[in-house]
Amino acid sequence: MARFRSLALAVLLMCSTAVSMAASPRLNSIMPRGCQRGVETVLTFSGSQLADAEEIFFYTPGFKVTKLEPVNANAFKATVAVGPEARIGEHVAQVRTKSGISDYRTFWVGYLPVAEEKEPNSEFAVPQAIPLNVTVNGIVQSEDVDYYVVEAKKGQRIAVEVEAMRLGTTLFDPYVAILDAKRFELAAADDSPLVIQDAVTSAVAPEDGKYIIEVRESAYGGNGACNYRLHVGTFPRPTAVYPAGGKIGSEVEVKFIGDAAGDFAQKFALPAQVDPDYGVLAGTDNAWAPSSNVFRLSTSDNSLEAEPNNAIQQASPAALPNAFNGILQEKGDIDFFKFTATKGQVYEVECYGRRIRSAIDPVMVVYNAQGGGIVSNDDARGPDSYFRFSVPADGDYYLSVTDHLKRGGPDFVYRVEFQPVVASLALNIPRQERYGQYRQQIYVAKNNRFGAIINAGRTNFGGPLVLEPSALPQGMKMHADPMPANMSQMPVVFEVAADAPLNGGLFDFLARHEDPNQKISGGFSNFADFVVAEPGQSLYVGKTVNRLPIAVVDELPFKVDVVPPKVPLAKDGSLSLKVVVERKPDFKAPVTVTFPFAPPGVGAPPSITIPEGQTEGIYTINAAGNAAVGPWKIFVLGQADVGGVAYSASQLVPIEISEHFVLFALNRTACEQGQETEIVCKLDQKKPFEGDATARVFGLPNKAVAEAVTFNKEAKEVVFKVKTEKDTPVGRHGTVFAQITIPMNGEMVVHNVGGTELRVDAPLPPKVEAPKPAAPMPTAQAAPAPAAPAAAPPARRLTRLEQLRLDKAKQEGK
């Protein structure tokens, strides 16, 4: 059963208001940016083309939609009951309308009651009063500083966490501080590693009284999009967890580090399956941290460092395949581990530092038993380290971990995993926008088709692949051939029946090795960029999802087909595909057609347009001389404005890429302006054909022509007679080639052959005749009878060498 049925929790609700047809919906924001667990909340979804919203896809459990209300053509309100099982932290939602699927966006769930910021609160002397243990929804305007006041008892923890950059709305780098009534700073934070560019801090109240919480943009910036969620309370807010991972299915005790009230231990029963988004939430039933600490799940146990281990001689013992865990507790700290390995073993060695939200910039080195370095790395995984370690011999080895800048601290936690080299497979859809999610979804109109390219990333294996989605929406089927071993993408066409209901969901879209015995499979994922800084395009916030949204949508007023060609596409040739648009009687708009997938060596223009009211167009594709010979499947994708951009794909069309039918060897030739010459072509027949083919010469200079010639499969030579004029351009014209056209099955095979040069010379000036000598005096002796003229030799075509000799003789006046 598809996972989407249990996890997507996409609640179908029909909008009561009639709306006109729209397409390609976009989702820009969900407001407010978070809600309280266990409480029903009204969320506003804004973007474009959202008036016909029918369903919200949630990627995680715990949400139930009870009402949808259109606001306008580009927004609607959703009443959402957030269940007690909803995870604390970030969640993802996406909208299905009657005509498409939107982008996905994030929103946040907390457990504290929610309050709203109330201006004016920009003066330290007049802060907004709030109770402890509350989440405030606020906005920082330009040069704005927001102040809040709470009352605390001596010895009570005051913890603060702000979600700002993580909300994925805009480039908002927040700063928070805890101040006493005299404006003395107890604690402050800007970029806390635990929350990336956001901030967390905590302090213990030194006395009973009022304490001020300050929130601003770190450089005193701000704008109307700088939303934040400020959590203020007595909850624990550790900055690190140690160890930062554990074995799936086990119970593990961890230590939370960095809380103002001191470190503390907590036990967790880990899930039975690896979850890349898993985290451990510090706290008890009475008070939890507002967000979890990142926690790695693996199939191996832990080995923990034991200080002192700052030298090889003091190395902490560890055993493979355990994960090695440690803390660089002070400046200059370096940790060594000792382990035993067997010759021939190969490991992917990953050091998790920044990826588990630690401040460390790790550097790893593996040494042999004599202390000689074998392999090392600094930043192969961004700031984190990675290398592949092939064990050269049986014996003991050492691993060291240190910070690149020799930094350290109580929360400089790291985790090193020795992972076996295994085959993996990942699928995605190529981006259509640099930073956006356009066409990263599959939605197909009733009685129509939609096509997409699926990319496959193979790691540590090769071979053909087969797509195997876990399920598809009711009434939809998929057409896809296996992906060849030498290809990393494939065309896929989804087709929906005319009577299919409007429906959809989130699906595990999978592929596997064509040989099931290989037991290699993988699934779809998509990464969305939410906050990107210009210039330089630095990515600050994004989100990965691992299911593909697929839906059946309303019928379109047009449909695109391709007439299957009856002839092959030969190397160095072209093929004219006939595209047919089936229109409803009242639909006249132009249809733009693209060619999304091209087999290797095949090219095509970016698009063609079938004009308003017309139903046919020709899409000409070309094959290079190195095109991949064999059968292929292609499709075209038509798009038109139906109140928004809508798409219809053709069927998967079989084409055959073939070798050349004939190869020409064209001799070079030359002549003077106004003269005629011949281009002699030797034929190399590669593929037999029936009937007569036609050959034409292209690339001749202006005012030079050659008539077409015909030949059959028996021909060994053809001759093009080239005529020039008195003003044909002089020079070497090296772009001359031939094109052949072979009739087949009522269509034409067209491909180019050969290449040569035509040299056109200016005529030599007229030769000046020498004076004739005087005639001798006649004599009485009778002259002999003149000899009979010799018979003229038969005409013979000069070879290229003979022609060159003749030309030279003319130039020398011989």
Side-chain angles (χ1 to χ4, degrees), residues 754-798:
T756 191
E757 176 187 282
L758 169 65
R759 195 187 79 228
V760 179
D761 297 326
L764 294 173
K767 185 176 181 181
V768 178
E769 296 289 339
K772 294 182 179 181
M777 293 299 292
T779 64
Q781 186 177 359
R796 181 177 68 84
R797 184 182 303 114
L798 297 179

Side-chain angles (χ1 to χ4, degrees), residues 642-718:
V642 296
V645 179
Y647 294 92
S648 170
S650 73
Q651 75 278 31
L652 273 181
V653 181
I655 66 169
E656 179 80 20
I657 299 178
S658 76
E659 295 286 355
H660 302 87
F661 277 68
V662 184
L663 291 177
F664 280 19
L666 283 70
N667 290 337
R668 290 182 295 174
T669 189
C671 68
E672 292 182 350
Q673 290 172 308
Q675 301 299 312
E676 296 184 7
T677 187
E678 295 178 344
I679 298 176
V680 181
C681 308
K682 300 296 183 182
L683 274 58
D684 182 5
Q685 301 271 4
K686 295 292 186 181
K687 291 172 64 72
F689 58 89
E690 299 300 323
D692 288 338
T694 301
R696 294 175 173 83
V697 172
F698 292 87
L700 293 171
N702 190 30
K703 296 189 177 181
V705 296
E707 293 183 358
V709 298
T710 59
F711 64 95
N712 59 30
K713 63 183 178 181
E714 307 296 335
K716 303 297 183 183
E717 179 182 278
V718 297

Side-chain angles (χ1 to χ4, degrees), residues 312-334:
I312 282 183
Q313 297 79 5
Q314 301 171 313
S316 298
L320 296 180
N322 287 359
F324 301 177
N325 298 267
I327 306 173
L328 299 180
Q329 299 179 18
E330 58 189 12
K331 290 182 179 181
D333 193 8
I334 181 170

